[in-house]
Structures are given as C-alpha cells and as structure tokens.
Amino acid sequence: MKIFAKKKVDGRKIIYFFDKKFLSWKDKNAVVQNDMFKQIYKKRFSGLTLPEQRFILEKQFKKIAGYDLNLGNPGTFNEKIQWLKLYYHNPLMTICADKVAVRDYVKEKIGEEYLVPSIGIYDKVEDINWEKLPDRFVVKVNWGSGQNIICTDKSNLDVDDAKSKLTEWMKPESNHYYNYLEWGYKNIKPKIIIEKYIEQMDGNLLDWKFFCFGGKAHYVQVDIDRSCNHTRCFYDMNYQKQEFTTCYPFYKGEVQKPANFEKMRELSEILSKDFPHVRVDWYELDGKIYLGEMTFTHGNGTERFTPFKYDKIMGDLLELPIFPVHDEHKKQREVALVRREIYSYPQNAPFRPSVSYPEYPFDEISAQENNVYDMVREGLHLMGLDDENYGTKNWNPLKELIVPGNTVLIKPNLVLHRNGGGEGEDCLFTQPSVVAPMIDYAIKALQGTGKIIVGDAPLQECVFEELISNSGYDKLIAFYKDKGVDIELLDFRNVATYVKGGVHYSQRAQGADNGVVVALDDLSSFAGLNEERIKNMRITNYDPRILQKHHNTKTHEYNVAKQILEADVVINMPKPKSHRKAGLTSALKNMVGMNANKEFLPHHSNTSLKEGGDAYLHASPVLAKANKMLDKGNMLNAEGKYKAAKACFKKFWKLKAKGAENVQEKFWEGSWWGNDTIWRTIFDLNRILLYADKTGQIRNTKQRKYFIVGDMIVSGQNEGPLEPSPKNVGVIAMGKDAVCFDIAIAAICGFDWHKLPSVREPYERLGGVCEITCGQPPVVKSNKPEWDNNSVDDIFCNHSFNFYPVSGWKDVL
C-alpha cells in the first residue's frame, strides 16, 4: 500500500498523506533539530500537529532504536509500531490497554476466571481505605507500565510513600501517550486498581508474553531474573527456542514449557483477533493461568533486536491496516444543516410555534407563521435525536443531553446592541426566536426540575438592557418565569463601558466578581512561545499590564463566568459570520463570550509579522511608537485618568496614520489573516469549557455535555463581527463537535477552513491532554440534496453562499 509520495520543492520535501500535504523540516543541522525537538516536546500537553508528532518520533527512534525511522515505507517491527502510534487509533485499544476496562472485555471474550481477583477500584487516592486492605496486595494505576506497589506485608508498608507515588502516577504527565505518543493510553481515565497478591509477583514469577499478529500467535517472550541479572529469550509456537533477543542479554539456558502453553496461546489468539498486533501476557501458577496485560506498543517500538535481522522478520508478520476512520466518531462528527428560503425572523415575542406539535409542552400557539421554530425542530430530527419517539408526545430530543435536575446553560452570541455598519441587527446577534425552541426542548428534558441560564459576555460597550429589550429576549424569559420555570438571563461581564471620544468610560461594575480564574499553564496553546512574544500580547482598548499578569512564561489563565463552570450542559448558539481577527466566528469563537473579564483574552501580539508579532505586516519605527502611545493611553484609561488618556489616543491616531502611510500598511491590531494569537485564545477557552470542573480545575475527562445550534437564517458578511452586512442564508445548523461544526459552516460560507487558524489548528493539533475534537472531517446531514452526505470540500467548491470576507482576510479567503 503506497502511503506517501514525495518530491523536492525548494530544498524541502512535500509529503502527501491521504491527500493531506505536509512540509518536511528544511534544516537538518543536529543542533537546530535538538532545539526544535525540545521546543516541540514542550508543547505535547497542549497538542501537536501530525508533522510535529512525526518529528518527535523520528528523533526518539534514532536515539533509542539506533537507526533512521522510515514512516513512508516502514519495514521493521519497530518502524511499524511507530506507524501504528500515529495512524491506527482503534478505540478498542484504549479499553484493552486500561487495566480496569480490560476486565470487562476479558469477561466477555474468554471468561473472568482468567482475571487476577480485584479487591477494589478507585477514582482517587483519597478513596482508598488502607486499614481495610488485606495483609498482601498489589496496587496499580490503570494506565501504568511498571507503576505497581507490591505489598507482601502491610505492617511494613509506608502508606504515605504509597499515596505520594499514586498521586504522581495519576497525573497526565505519567500517561505514556504524552511521553512516547502511545495512542492506546491517551484516552484512559485514570483509576487505581488493587488486586489480590499472587505468589512470586515480586518479580520471580515468570510471565509469558505472546506476540500476536492478525489474530495468530507467532512468538512468546520469556524474561528471567528481572530483579537482578535480567536476561530474555523467545520461543516459537512449536516451543523451539529462537536465536534472538531484544533489549536484554540472550538467556542461554532452557525454560521449561508451561503446562498451559497451548491454552495461553489459544486465549491470546481470541483476545488479539481484533487488532493487527498485540502482545498478550500471562502468568501461570499452580496449574492456573491469569492474564497480565495486553500491550500494543511493545517496548515503545524502540527495543533493539539482536541479531538485527529479526526486527525485519517480525516486521514482516505485522500487516499494516488501511488508514481507519472509526465508526464511533460518526455521531460526534455529524453536522445537520436545515435549509429553507426563509430570511426573516418572527417578531411576536415570546416566539411560540405556529403548529401544535405533539411534544410541545405549552398551550400557547402563535397566529403568525413561525418557520424558524419548525427549522430548529427539523434539525433535531436530522441529528437522529430520540428517533424512536419522533412525531409523538413523548419525543424528547435532548434526553441524552439533559437529565432531570441538570443546570443547562444556553450561550447565544450577543456581541453588541447595535450594528456599527447600520445594516440592522438580524445579522449581528443570535435571535431569540432561535433560542426559544431550544429552551422549550430543554424544559421537556428537565421534566419540571433543574435550572436554565441564558447568558453571554458581550463587547464591553454593549448596552445589554437595550439589546434584550429591543430584540425580545426580555419578553421570552418573562414568558417562562410566568410558567414557573427556573430560568435567568445574565450578562456575564464584570465591567461594562461606554465610549466617547475614543475613551472607554466605566459604566457599570457588577457588585461581586462573576468569574472564576482557570489556569491552563502548560496546557495552554500559548505554552512554548518565547518571552518577547508573550510580553507583546495585547487586547485592544485594555490595560496591557493586566493581561501580562495572566499570560506570561509561567502562567496562562482565564476568568470564566462561574455559571459556565456550574453548568451540567452547555448549548452553544453562535451567530456565524465573518470576523476581523479570526476570519470566521462560529461555534469555537462564540465561547470567547464565556469570559467575565476581557483583560484575560489575548487578541494579537503588538509588533509586525517581520518582528515576530502579528498586529500588522510591515516593520515601522513610527508604528512601534504608535503602539507605545496606545499602551500608555489604555493604562491611563484603566486608572480613570480620562483626560490624559484622550490626549494619548489623539497622538496615537496621528502616529498610526503616518506609520501606515510610510510603509503602506493596510492591517492593524491583528485584524487580518496573519493573526497567530486569537486562535490560541479560542482553543484555550474551548478546552476550559469541556474540561474545567465546577471549581475551575482542569480534569482529564469532559466535565459537561455540549451541543451546538447555529443561527444562520440571516448571517453576516463583510466587516463582521461588529459591522456586518446581512447575508440571506436560511439555515439552522446543529452539531456536537465544535471543530466539525465550524468546518461545515466555513464550507457553506465559501471560506477555505484550512486557511482559518481557529478551525485548522484545533483540528490538526491532536493529542493534547484536553482535546476538543474527534479529529475527523464532518459528516453533513441536510434536507438540501447538494449538501447531504457530501464532502465539505465539494460543498466549499460548488455549493457555497460565497460570503464576502472582512477586508483583512480578502487576500486568503
């Protein structure tokens, strides 16, 4: 199977992998490569692109295995293990590599009599009652390898030391994925398992490691005297000793064939038949056999074979699979696009349906036709939600998302109260008539319990009261309150301002701090950037000193509205449109509005592209002075020294105009295609949305359920998001994966998503501790035949609405 085609371009190789193009590293100087390795390796917790992952594996492989890694045409066993790490991501591997989850798999496949008896399974170290444990036991972390505590006499056990070790082993840094990219471990939720002690588990008990390929066992590995003079040998399935070893010296003696050799072989083949390769380990004691573990990346795929030719001989047994796209992602990847020639919204708040649907929970029906409500309903049906009850009074499309007692947060995009371009608000913010049916279906799922919050943190100068009054949000919420529904409409901002003469005057500060500071630090997409770049990060109209407190070489943190963290379910309701800094604002960008203080949000880096920043393109000393004057004005403004701030802003505008004319600069403040900052902020906030617990601590597993409903009845193009022109689209969009959703939205807008960093980077930077996407292209479901089950590439090329991008993005979109 030919995977790669390579050709030289400007001294570099362009690598095509399944129609995706990657640029190889140009400078092969060892020093440069070592520095690059350290820089890339540092980012492994926040996610790496596929070329970066390849680079890390190549460097590690050469150092440990001793020869150059050929991923384009892998031939040896060790090379093929590296290929599998990168490209074969079978979710069943995660189950079988998990020492807790594998127990159910083994029970189903061969029976639980082959499992070492379990004493207890725990989510946290604190859950273990050490006093109640027997005198002898073995403690393991379910994602560990060699991370075991073997207790043969509890009276001699240092419990505090055991607790300390387990605490360290439960951290993400101990997951093998983040050190060696062993994918099978990546999605394991860390747990502790305590098992019954089996005699001689202290290292003297032989284990029999069966190497299986395509469901057939070929070799068994035996290790002797692991605690002192560790040696190793291999036997074939006829129990003929082989002439090779790996890693450890060759054992010259003979090892007696175990009584249950054939049974272990038979069971290994049953357990391995779903995989191209797996090593299945067994213990034999007193005539009984126990499963040790299943391993998919033996020795990390770097153990040296002696003689070397057996690396190739064993490699010939491993047939690489066709690059898989696994069905378990299909539901996650689905994006529903309901299209009708409807380009207006109902005006009669509280926006009741004009049809008495069987499942509708209220009596009020609108006399005015409400196509928007019907389109939202159709979208939920297209997503296949509660299909078996569709069309009946029992239809409850959100029942798998929302359970009784939940707190449900609905997050519309309420960017600003008035369109700065003067072309109306239909294209500016999420319309309440789209939100209304989602509230109705949330109420249906809650069954008279729980709580609903509708909220956002709009732009600092947004007059929130005017927005909700003019749009009908206030009447919508009042309708539900009259029905006894526990519902709130909230402005998440801690501070709001009004603008006069270019100065932001403080208008309102809420009494208590509405936000919770959430630290990402090394998990942030900003981790690994150089100090100068971080010092230059800015958000227009805000004091740069505040931003630098929260984003520096040690810390990257955000001030998130507490209501977001307290929610069990978040329904993200963006208003997709063009965007000055991100190119497109959709599901991912909409979550910037969960931040209570904008000073925590880097938007650009305050120098030119040629100087390592991204505020504008051309270097200019006059523009550099303009930046300093703008900083000074923002600091004075934050201190309430409005008169002095206003004088600074006047000087700033003069310097900016002069500097831009000198170098013919047409970009400013990161509002262009060269912005390399805003996507990092967007990525970080979406990680927090999914993985921060109610206290703001980042966890390894998702903390809340998530759904997306996009309002594109009338969308926005040209100078969005604050001055958009209306674009009649007639679409309601839905999805579960924000990256898949945004790829589909970019396609129907006619924007190449590969050129939108806020979409491309999360898609490509897989493998971080807190992934926000399944990493697969969307599956489009639509009532429009040209879109339904069609690729996003074809939709982009042939069936899009051809949006006009903002001026700073016209060169690339």
Side-chain angles (χ1 to χ4, degrees), residues 593-616:
M594 72 186 199
N595 218 76
N597 280 79
K598 303 293 185 183
E599 297 92 333
F600 286 69
L601 303 173
H603 275 49
H604 62 274
S605 189
N606 209 18
T607 55
S608 72
L609 187 66
K610 294 182 179 179
E611 296 166 303
D614 60 7
Y616 45 92

mmCIF file of all heavy atoms in Angstrom, residues 593-616:
data_model
loop_
_atom_site.group_PDB
_atom_site.id
_atom_site.type_symbol
_atom_site.label_atom_id
_atom_site.label_comp_id
_atom_site.label_asym_id
_atom_site.label_seq_id
_atom_site.Cartn_x
_atom_site.Cartn_y
_atom_site.Cartn_z
ATOM 1 N N GLY A 593 -17.150 34.452 24.625
ATOM 2 C CA GLY A 593 -18.123 35.160 25.439
ATOM 3 C C GLY A 593 -18.429 34.518 26.770
ATOM 4 O O GLY A 593 -19.339 34.948 27.474
ATOM 5 N N MET A 594 -17.701 33.479 27.158
ATOM 6 C CA MET A 594 -17.898 32.906 28.498
ATOM 7 C C MET A 594 -16.928 33.540 29.491
ATOM 8 O O MET A 594 -16.940 33.224 30.673
ATOM 9 C CB MET A 594 -17.710 31.390 28.472
ATOM 10 C CG MET A 594 -16.301 30.898 28.306
ATOM 11 S SD MET A 594 -16.282 29.089 28.132
ATOM 12 C CE MET A 594 -14.561 28.734 28.535
ATOM 13 N N ASN A 595 -16.090 34.468 29.016
ATOM 14 C CA ASN A 595 -15.103 35.109 29.879
ATOM 15 C C ASN A 595 -15.716 36.329 30.561
ATOM 16 O O ASN A 595 -16.320 37.180 29.909
ATOM 17 C CB ASN A 595 -13.886 35.535 29.055
ATOM 18 C CG ASN A 595 -12.595 35.332 29.798
ATOM 19 O OD1 ASN A 595 -12.116 34.220 29.924
ATOM 20 N ND2 ASN A 595 -12.044 36.413 30.318
ATOM 21 N N ALA A 596 -15.544 36.449 31.869
ATOM 22 C CA ALA A 596 -16.149 37.546 32.629
ATOM 23 C C ALA A 596 -15.326 38.825 32.542
ATOM 24 O O ALA A 596 -15.867 39.913 32.703
ATOM 25 C CB ALA A 596 -16.322 37.130 34.094
ATOM 26 N N ASN A 597 -14.020 38.709 32.332
ATOM 27 C CA ASN A 597 -13.146 39.880 32.202
ATOM 28 C C ASN A 597 -12.337 39.771 30.918
ATOM 29 O O ASN A 597 -11.534 38.852 30.757
ATOM 30 C CB ASN A 597 -12.178 39.990 33.391
ATOM 31 C CG ASN A 597 -12.842 40.583 34.612
ATOM 32 O OD1 ASN A 597 -13.568 39.903 35.324
ATOM 33 N ND2 ASN A 597 -12.609 41.860 34.842
ATOM 34 N N LYS A 598 -12.529 40.717 30.019
ATOM 35 C CA LYS A 598 -11.872 40.671 28.715
ATOM 36 C C LYS A 598 -10.362 40.838 28.814
ATOM 37 O O LYS A 598 -9.638 40.476 27.880
ATOM 38 C CB LYS A 598 -12.449 41.763 27.800
ATOM 39 C CG LYS A 598 -13.949 41.687 27.588
ATOM 40 C CD LYS A 598 -14.362 40.469 26.801
ATOM 41 C CE LYS A 598 -15.864 40.504 26.496
ATOM 42 N NZ LYS A 598 -16.321 39.311 25.786
ATOM 43 N N GLU A 599 -9.869 41.404 29.944
ATOM 44 C CA GLU A 599 -8.426 41.629 30.086
ATOM 45 C C GLU A 599 -7.620 40.336 30.101
ATOM 46 O O GLU A 599 -6.387 40.367 30.042
ATOM 47 C CB GLU A 599 -8.125 42.404 31.377
ATOM 48 C CG GLU A 599 -8.711 43.786 31.425
ATOM 49 C CD GLU A 599 -10.085 43.829 32.074
ATOM 50 O OE1 GLU A 599 -10.792 42.799 32.020
ATOM 51 O OE2 GLU A 599 -10.455 44.881 32.618
ATOM 52 N N PHE A 600 -8.291 39.202 30.193
ATOM 53 C CA PHE A 600 -7.624 37.898 30.218
ATOM 54 C C PHE A 600 -7.469 37.295 28.816
ATOM 55 O O PHE A 600 -6.960 36.192 28.692
ATOM 56 C CB PHE A 600 -8.432 36.907 31.070
ATOM 57 C CG PHE A 600 -8.355 37.137 32.552
ATOM 58 C CD1 PHE A 600 -8.939 38.243 33.138
ATOM 59 C CD2 PHE A 600 -7.707 36.230 33.380
ATOM 60 C CE1 PHE A 600 -8.890 38.447 34.518
ATOM 61 C CE2 PHE A 600 -7.639 36.411 34.757
ATOM 62 C CZ PHE A 600 -8.232 37.532 35.325
ATOM 63 N N LEU A 601 -7.901 38.020 27.774
ATOM 64 C CA LEU A 601 -8.048 37.420 26.448
ATOM 65 C C LEU A 601 -7.067 38.004 25.441
ATOM 66 O O LEU A 601 -7.349 39.033 24.812
ATOM 67 C CB LEU A 601 -9.476 37.635 25.930
ATOM 68 C CG LEU A 601 -10.616 37.114 26.800
ATOM 69 C CD1 LEU A 601 -11.950 37.562 26.222
ATOM 70 C CD2 LEU A 601 -10.553 35.602 26.907
ATOM 71 N N PRO A 602 -5.921 37.372 25.200
ATOM 72 C CA PRO A 602 -5.005 37.872 24.167
ATOM 73 C C PRO A 602 -5.671 37.843 22.794
ATOM 74 O O PRO A 602 -6.269 36.845 22.413
ATOM 75 C CB PRO A 602 -3.830 36.900 24.233
ATOM 76 C CG PRO A 602 -3.916 36.253 25.574
ATOM 77 C CD PRO A 602 -5.369 36.184 25.898
ATOM 78 N N HIS A 603 -5.540 38.963 22.070
ATOM 79 C CA HIS A 603 -6.125 39.056 20.730
ATOM 80 C C HIS A 603 -5.073 39.141 19.625
ATOM 81 O O HIS A 603 -5.329 38.746 18.493
ATOM 82 C CB HIS A 603 -7.044 40.278 20.624
ATOM 83 C CG HIS A 603 -8.436 40.014 21.113
ATOM 84 N ND1 HIS A 603 -8.697 39.415 22.322
ATOM 85 C CD2 HIS A 603 -9.646 40.258 20.550
ATOM 86 C CE1 HIS A 603 -10.009 39.310 22.486
ATOM 87 N NE2 HIS A 603 -10.604 39.810 21.422
ATOM 88 N N HIS A 604 -3.914 39.723 19.939
ATOM 89 C CA HIS A 604 -2.840 39.826 18.951
ATOM 90 C C HIS A 604 -1.540 40.104 19.693
ATOM 91 O O HIS A 604 -1.535 40.310 20.907
ATOM 92 C CB HIS A 604 -3.127 40.928 17.921
ATOM 93 C CG HIS A 604 -3.229 42.307 18.509
ATOM 94 N ND1 HIS A 604 -4.401 42.813 19.031
ATOM 95 C CD2 HIS A 604 -2.297 43.277 18.678
ATOM 96 C CE1 HIS A 604 -4.204 44.030 19.484
ATOM 97 N NE2 HIS A 604 -2.922 44.349 19.281
ATOM 98 N N SER A 605 -0.434 40.076 18.950
ATOM 99 C CA SER A 605 0.875 40.379 19.530
ATOM 100 C C SER A 605 1.389 41.668 18.893
ATOM 101 O O SER A 605 1.437 41.795 17.671
ATOM 102 C CB SER A 605 1.852 39.226 19.278
ATOM 103 O OG SER A 605 3.042 39.406 19.985
ATOM 104 N N ASN A 606 1.810 42.596 19.728
ATOM 105 C CA ASN A 606 1.858 44.012 19.365
ATOM 106 C C ASN A 606 3.082 44.450 18.559
ATOM 107 O O ASN A 606 3.628 45.507 18.820
ATOM 108 C CB ASN A 606 1.782 44.846 20.646
ATOM 109 C CG ASN A 606 1.140 46.186 20.404
ATOM 110 O OD1 ASN A 606 0.467 46.371 19.407
ATOM 111 N ND2 ASN A 606 1.358 47.122 21.312
ATOM 112 N N THR A 607 3.529 43.662 17.594
ATOM 113 C CA THR A 607 4.559 44.100 16.649
ATOM 114 C C THR A 607 4.209 43.559 15.271
ATOM 115 O O THR A 607 3.203 42.861 15.112
ATOM 116 C CB THR A 607 5.967 43.598 17.063
ATOM 117 O OG1 THR A 607 5.930 42.171 17.210
ATOM 118 C CG2 THR A 607 6.430 44.231 18.370
ATOM 119 N N SER A 608 5.064 43.856 14.310
ATOM 120 C CA SER A 608 4.796 43.388 12.948
ATOM 121 C C SER A 608 5.144 41.909 12.796
ATOM 122 O O SER A 608 5.854 41.327 13.626
ATOM 123 C CB SER A 608 5.626 44.201 11.952
ATOM 124 O OG SER A 608 7.000 43.841 12.047
ATOM 125 N N LEU A 609 4.679 41.333 11.712
ATOM 126 C CA LEU A 609 4.973 39.933 11.415
ATOM 127 C C LEU A 609 6.479 39.723 11.285
ATOM 128 O O LEU A 609 7.019 38.732 11.767
ATOM 129 C CB LEU A 609 4.264 39.529 10.121
ATOM 130 C CG LEU A 609 4.331 38.050 9.736
ATOM 131 C CD1 LEU A 609 3.570 37.199 10.730
ATOM 132 C CD2 LEU A 609 3.760 37.836 8.332
ATOM 133 N N LYS A 610 7.165 40.680 10.686
ATOM 134 C CA LYS A 610 8.609 40.557 10.488
ATOM 135 C C LYS A 610 9.375 40.678 11.798
ATOM 136 O O LYS A 610 10.546 40.297 11.877
ATOM 137 C CB LYS A 610 9.082 41.613 9.495
ATOM 138 C CG LYS A 610 8.521 41.389 8.091
ATOM 139 C CD LYS A 610 9.031 42.407 7.094
ATOM 140 C CE LYS A 610 8.469 42.148 5.704
ATOM 141 N NZ LYS A 610 8.932 43.136 4.703
ATOM 142 N N GLU A 611 8.728 41.216 12.834
ATOM 143 C CA GLU A 611 9.369 41.359 14.146
ATOM 144 C C GLU A 611 8.916 40.293 15.137
ATOM 145 O O GLU A 611 9.209 40.379 16.324
ATOM 146 C CB GLU A 611 9.069 42.748 14.710
ATOM 147 C CG GLU A 611 9.643 43.876 13.882
ATOM 148 C CD GLU A 611 9.075 45.234 14.256
ATOM 149 O OE1 GLU A 611 7.833 45.400 14.195
ATOM 150 O OE2 GLU A 611 9.863 46.138 14.606
ATOM 151 N N GLY A 612 8.218 39.295 14.624
ATOM 152 C CA GLY A 612 7.786 38.196 15.480
ATOM 153 C C GLY A 612 6.401 38.354 16.070
ATOM 154 O O GLY A 612 5.957 37.516 16.852
ATOM 155 N N GLY A 613 5.694 39.420 15.692
ATOM 156 C CA GLY A 613 4.326 39.632 16.177
ATOM 157 C C GLY A 613 3.313 39.342 15.099
ATOM 158 O O GLY A 613 3.612 38.719 14.083
ATOM 159 N N ASP A 614 2.091 39.828 15.299
ATOM 160 C CA ASP A 614 1.058 39.598 14.284
ATOM 161 C C ASP A 614 0.034 40.727 14.242
ATOM 162 O O ASP A 614 -1.052 40.564 13.709
ATOM 163 C CB ASP A 614 0.352 38.258 14.523
ATOM 164 C CG ASP A 614 -0.332 38.170 15.882
ATOM 165 O OD1 ASP A 614 -0.389 39.180 16.606
ATOM 166 O OD2 ASP A 614 -0.812 37.072 16.231
ATOM 167 N N ALA A 615 0.394 41.896 14.809
ATOM 168 C CA ALA A 615 -0.545 43.015 14.796
ATOM 169 C C ALA A 615 -0.713 43.566 13.382
ATOM 170 O O ALA A 615 -1.797 43.998 12.996
ATOM 171 C CB ALA A 615 -0.077 44.118 15.746
ATOM 172 N N TYR A 616 0.379 43.572 12.614
ATOM 173 C CA TYR A 616 0.358 44.077 11.242
ATOM 174 C C TYR A 616 1.528 43.460 10.487
ATOM 175 O O TYR A 616 2.309 42.687 11.074
ATOM 176 C CB TYR A 616 0.402 45.606 11.207
ATOM 177 C CG TYR A 616 1.422 46.214 12.147
ATOM 178 C CD1 TYR A 616 2.717 46.496 11.734
ATOM 179 C CD2 TYR A 616 1.079 46.502 13.469
ATOM 180 C CE1 TYR A 616 3.654 47.046 12.593
ATOM 181 C CE2 TYR A 616 2.003 47.061 14.344
ATOM 182 C CZ TYR A 616 3.291 47.334 13.906
ATOM 183 O OH TYR A 616 4.215 47.879 14.765
#
